[in-house]
Amino acid sequence: MAAFQLLFPLLVSCVAASSRPPRHLPPCQVVQMNVFCSDLSLRSAPDNLPHGVQMLDLSRNQMQNLTQETLAYHTGFRHLNLHSNKIHFIQPGLFKDMTDLKVLDLSRNHLNVFARSKINIGPLTAVESLDLSSNGLYTGMSDYFLADSPLLANLSLNSNSITKIANNTFSGSLALTKISLHNNVIMEIEGGAFDSLNHLTELDLSKNSITCITDFNLYNLKLLNLSKNSMESFQSTESNDRYHLLSLDLSENKMLYFPLLPKKNMLKYLDVSRNQLQSINVTGNPDENTTFHLNHLRYLDMSFNQLKSIPESFFSGMGLLEVLNVSNNCIGSFSITDKFHLRRVKIIDLSYNSLQSLTFGKNTLQSLEKLFLQGNDLTTLDHQIFRRLPSIKHLHLQQNDLKICASDQSHQDSPDCVSFTSIPNLQYLYLSDNNLRTLPANAFANTPLILLDLSLNPGLDMDKDSLSGLEHSLVHLFLRKNNISSLNTDLSSLRCLRDVDLSFNQLTILPTWIKTSSIESLNLQNNNLVTLDYSTMLTLEHSLKILYMGSNPLSCCRNLGFLHMVQHSAVVVPDIEKVTCIYEEYSELVNIGNLTPEMCHRAGIQNYVVLVVVIALLVMIVLGLLVRCCHTRKRKHSRSFRA
């Protein structure tokens, strides 16, 4: 009965084909021996396909039955793409004679309908890559496609409804090297399900419902992705055999403790972020010392967990580690005192913890280039802590509560400040939102900063020589949201300065540029600028390319130099729609783009006429008063001589 149900659609399609007129090749694209017929609402391949076509793309069409007639009786394909059709029937044995077919894409169809018949599609004689993703397949259905696939190496079963991997699921595809089961609902993996796959090197089980791995023993596997499951523990079998695993992703699970990894491993990449780790121990016993064998590890991500501390001994076996991410935890102190610990690390991310103590011993972290410390509770640091990092280039200290030492200040003079002078390779320094009150003179002397961010420090008082020493290095300067009313620091001395952000302050006048400017981008948004100094704007215009000026109470007719620059120079004002000015004749604000010099000239003439009229009236009033006064005195004089 099942066979009849399968053959009936085939008979119907054959009868229908005999009554249809001959088909003509629609506007497919033919490139050498590759034919592209996607998105053409086709129900079958065109009849007049080129002889010897090797690749046929029929994706995103309306095909329902996959038969010899549907494929125009061609069998010489090397690559057949049937992605995103409505295929629910495949002629059994269809691919038997396709001895050159290497890549078959059947993703996003309705193959669950075919699988209900419990009939194999026949041997996939030469297929090496098979995509069955998004077909509504559930447990056991994939067997009908994999039962006889001797050369299959790459298999995708993504986005189906598989709940269980049986121990015989892949028994007909023993050459598999890569399996992707992402986004299913797998809850159970039978013992030995992957044991017979001696060539398997990549396994993706991400976004499923797996709760634990208790006896991981896939020695030849190189990449394993178990992210986005419900994993509570990961344990390898106790063995002296060497595992070849290079990458293990356990992120976004529910693990409380560090995974128990093979003693002999080659692991380079380990991600246990976004779990519930409370300890780096592999069990719940805080007194149990765990020895970690991670001699080859390059990348370790433990971010977004609940770690309160990491003992320095944890890093004793990680001599090759280059990236350490422990951000977004609850760590209160971090210390590296042994010069052999993390000696090759280049990036350490400790951001968004509860750090109050940070210690780097002498000659430690000699390779460290990037250090992320933002979002902590750092108030007091060793005076010269960053000078001990000879390779440091990027230093992120925003959202702390630090005080900057003057260049001539010693640790004894001010134990609560940190020095940023004489750090030979530091180029990027972020100090925003640190509650900084003062920026002393020569604060960054002998430190070749390219970028300096001092934003979000309301009330920051900058010494006129605070940026001295940065004349030949500083390119980007950010001073936004500092409530600065005037800037007494001479920015024109910074010869390399290209990008300046002074937005969201209280500036009433522009910083003066007494030398030729090199600035290309200037942000002056949200200040209190009424008049822009003409000579300063003229100096800036020679180098300026981008200017932000929105949300300032500009006067229309007192900024004709700025108006000329906007309308006639190459300077781009991206927020031109928000650049408005106050025009005397109108109560509403006028957009600077709609203002013309003639409007101001007319306003000037009108004001002149009004002034003349007012003066004339005043003269007439004064003359009238004088005449009246003289007349009164004359009458008094006449009365005095009467008899």
Side-chain angles (χ1 to χ4, degrees):
M1 186 64 183
F4 177 76
Q5 290 176 343
L6 274 176
L7 292 174
F8 182 73
L10 178 61
L11 293 172
V12 172
S13 63
C14 290
V15 172
S18 62
S19 61
R20 283 199 302 262
R23 293 166 294 171
H24 298 284
L25 186 65
C28 297
Q29 293 183 355
V30 180
V31 180
Q32 295 181 346
M33 301 310 295
N34 301 328
V35 180
F36 301 89
C37 299
S38 61
D39 287 300
L40 295 175
S41 299
L42 298 176
R43 293 186 177 274
S44 61
D47 280 336
N48 52 344
L49 286 175
H51 179 70
V53 58
Q54 294 186 357
M55 194 281 282
L56 176 61
D57 183 356
L58 287 167
S59 61
R60 294 184 293 276
N61 281 291
Q62 302 295 319
M63 298 177 64
Q64 297 182 14
N65 299 320
L66 192 58
T67 65
Q68 290 181 343
E69 192 270 343
T70 306
L71 296 177
Y73 297 98
H74 284 261
T75 58
F77 304 117
R78 293 180 60 86
H79 185 159
L80 182 57
N81 187 353
L82 296 162
H83 166 79
S84 296
N85 278 273
K86 299 178 180 180
I87 299 171
H88 60 266
F89 171 77
I90 299 177
Q91 179 182 341
L94 175 65
F95 304 105
K96 180 180 179 181
D97 296 327
M98 295 188 184
T99 54
D100 294 323
L101 185 62
K102 304 295 183 184
V103 180
L104 177 59
D105 189 345
L106 291 166
S107 60
R108 293 189 178 276
N109 282 283
H110 305 299
L111 296 184
N112 57 325
V113 177
F114 172 79
R116 290 194 194 109
S117 66
K118 300 183 179 181
I119 295 179
N120 295 337
I121 62 171
L124 299 178
T125 309
V127 173
E128 297 177 358
S129 178
L130 175 63
D131 194 341
L132 296 170
S133 59
S134 300
N135 268 289
L137 301 175
Y138 50 83
T139 302
M141 284 188 168
S142 61
D143 299 1
Y144 305 115
F145 303 91
L146 306 176
D148 195 359
S149 308
L151 300 181
L152 186 61
N154 188 346
L155 171 65
S156 176
L157 286 164
N158 295 339
S159 303
N160 282 291
S161 302
I162 300 169
T163 59
K164 176 182 177 181
I165 304 298
N167 56 16
N168 63 345
T169 299
F170 307 108
S171 59
S173 309
L174 299 180
L176 279 168
T177 60
K178 180 179 179 180
I179 302 174
S180 184
L181 287 155
H182 168 78
N183 193 25
N184 279 272
V185 282
I186 298 170
M187 294 182 285
E188 180 183 357
I189 301 176
E190 285 190 356
F194 301 102
D195 288 357
S196 60
L197 304 179
N198 296 325
H199 304 286
L200 186 64
T201 57
E202 297 184 34
L203 179 58
D204 187 351
L205 291 164
S206 60
K207 202 173 182 181
N208 280 283
S209 302
I210 303 169
T211 56
C212 65
I213 299 291
T214 55
D215 294 302
F216 176 69
N217 63 347
L218 301 179
Y219 301 103
N220 294 322
L221 199 65
K222 293 184 178 180
L223 278 78
L224 175 58
N225 190 346
L226 283 162
S227 64
K228 298 181 181 179
N229 277 275
S230 300
M231 298 273 298
E232 296 179 1
S233 67
F234 180 93
Q235 296 183 347
S236 302
T237 55
E238 291 189 11
S239 172
N240 289 321
D241 293 330
R242 180 170 295 279
Y243 285 71
H244 293 87
L245 192 65
L246 301 176
S247 175
L248 175 59
D249 191 344
L250 294 167
S251 62
E252 297 190 55
N253 280 285
K254 299 179 180 179
M255 297 176 59
L256 297 175
Y257 309 108
F258 205 77
L260 180 58
L261 301 169
K263 290 181 180 179
K264 294 184 178 180
N265 68 75
M266 302 175 65
L267 201 62
K268 293 184 177 180
Y269 176 101
L270 176 59
D271 190 346
V272 289
S273 64
R274 298 183 185 276
N275 276 274
Q276 300 171 17
L277 296 183
Q278 300 175 3
S279 168
I280 52 106
N281 290 331
V282 296
T283 67
N285 187 355
D287 298 323
E288 181 179 335
N289 292 324
T290 305
T291 302
F292 296 95
H293 306 277
L294 295 167
N295 299 323
H296 300 275
L297 197 64
R298 303 287 200 280
Y299 179 97
L300 175 59
D301 190 346
M302 297 191 294
S303 61
F304 292 94
N305 278 286
Q306 301 169 19
L307 296 171
K308 294 183 179 179
S309 65
I310 302 178
E312 186 175 345
S313 59
F314 174 68
F315 304 112
S316 60
M318 302 183 191
L320 298 180
L321 192 67
E322 296 181 357
V323 178
L324 172 64
N325 187 353
V326 287
S327 64
N328 294 276
N329 278 279
C330 310
I331 301 170
S333 64
F334 187 83
S335 175
I336 300 294
T337 57
D338 190 324
K339 66 179 182 180
F340 295 107
H341 291 170
L342 302 180
R343 64 182 183 273
R344 292 196 182 182
V345 74
K346 295 181 179 179
I347 301 173
I348 295 180
D349 191 344
L350 284 158
S351 60
Y352 301 102
N353 276 280
S354 303
L355 280 179
Q356 294 181 319
S357 173
L358 183 68
T359 304
F360 298 145
K362 187 177 180 181
N363 296 323
T364 60
L365 303 175
Q366 296 292 286
S367 301
L368 185 63
E369 297 179 1
K370 295 183 180 181
L371 179 58
F372 297 86
L373 294 167
Q374 67 267 31
N376 279 284
D377 300 322
L378 295 172
T379 57
T380 304
L381 290 173
D382 183 359
H383 181 70
Q384 298 185 2
I385 186 170
F386 300 121
R387 290 187 187 177
R388 299 195 188 101
L389 305 175
S391 303
I392 193 71
K393 294 180 180 179
H394 297 252
L395 185 52
H396 294 252
L397 285 163
Q398 55 267 45
Q399 293 176 269
N400 281 284
D401 195 6
L402 296 172
K403 181 180 178 182
I404 301 176
C405 299
S407 60
D408 56 352
Q409 208 167 11
S410 67
H411 181 53
Q412 289 75 19
D413 295 338
S414 183
D416 60 342
C417 68
V418 62
S419 174
F420 293 103
T421 61
S422 302
I423 306 177
N425 288 301
L426 185 59
Q427 298 178 352
Y428 300 87
L429 177 58
Y430 299 84
L431 287 165
S432 64
D433 200 4
N434 258 277
N435 200 29
L436 292 174
R437 289 287 179 256
T438 60
L439 191 64
N442 305 304
F444 312 103
N446 301 315
T447 298
L449 292 180
I450 293 175
L451 182 149
L452 176 60
D453 188 355
L454 295 165
S455 304
L456 292 161
N457 289 292
L460 178 64
D461 182 15
M462 298 176 63
D463 187 277
K464 64 182 181 65
D465 296 320
S466 59
L467 302 180
S468 292
L470 301 178
E471 290 84 0
H472 302 289
S473 66
L474 194 63
V475 177
H476 309 281
L477 176 62
F478 303 136
L479 291 166
R480 65 195 308 266
K481 291 189 177 182
N482 282 331
N483 289 338
I484 299 173
S485 57
S486 63
L487 193 66
N488 60 352
T489 303
D490 183 13
L491 299 183
S492 61
S493 64
L494 304 173
R495 306 290 179 82
C496 299
L497 195 60
R498 299 284 185 272
D499 182 14
V500 179
D501 189 346
L502 288 164
S503 60
F504 293 91
N505 280 289
Q506 306 295 326
L507 290 175
T508 55
I509 58 172
L510 283 179
T512 56
W513 270 267
I514 59 177
K515 302 174 184 176
T516 303
S517 169
S518 60
I519 293 179
E520 297 179 356
S521 176
L522 177 61
N523 193 337
L524 294 168
Q525 287 178 324
N526 291 87
N527 276 279
N528 293 327
L529 295 168
V530 176
T531 304
L532 304 179
D533 182 71
Y534 178 74
S535 60
T536 300
M537 296 306 296
L538 193 62
T539 302
L540 289 172
E541 186 177 350
H542 293 293
S543 62
L544 202 59
K545 295 179 180 178
I546 300 175
L547 175 64
Y548 294 88
M549 274 297 302
S551 302
N552 277 283
L554 294 171
S555 167
C556 290
C557 296
R558 291 164 62 187
N559 288 291
L560 295 181
F562 170 61
L563 175 63
H564 183 272
M565 185 186 75
V566 170
Q567 296 180 347
H568 298 93
S569 75
V571 177
V572 176
V573 185
D575 63 340
I576 189 70
E577 297 299 325
K578 295 182 180 179
V579 184
T580 57
C581 60
I582 301 170
Y583 185 58
E584 289 80 355
E585 285 194 357
Y586 301 99
S587 58
E588 295 183 358
L589 296 175
V590 178
N591 185 273
I592 197 74
N594 299 328
L595 186 70
T596 62
E598 289 75 16
M599 293 169 65
C600 291
H601 292 327
R602 287 199 302 269
I605 294 172
Q606 291 170 356
N607 290 338
Y608 176 76
V609 172
V610 171
L611 182 62
V612 170
V613 171
V614 170
I615 293 174
L617 287 173
L618 289 173
V619 170
M620 291 175 65
I621 291 171
V622 171
L623 288 175
L625 290 174
L626 287 174
V627 170
R628 184 175 180 182
C629 182
C630 291
H631 181 68
T632 303
R633 293 183 64 181
K634 183 177 180 180
R635 282 181 11 187
K636 288 182 179 180
H637 181 74
S638 300
R639 284 200 299 268
S640 63
F641 289 96
R642 266 183 203 164

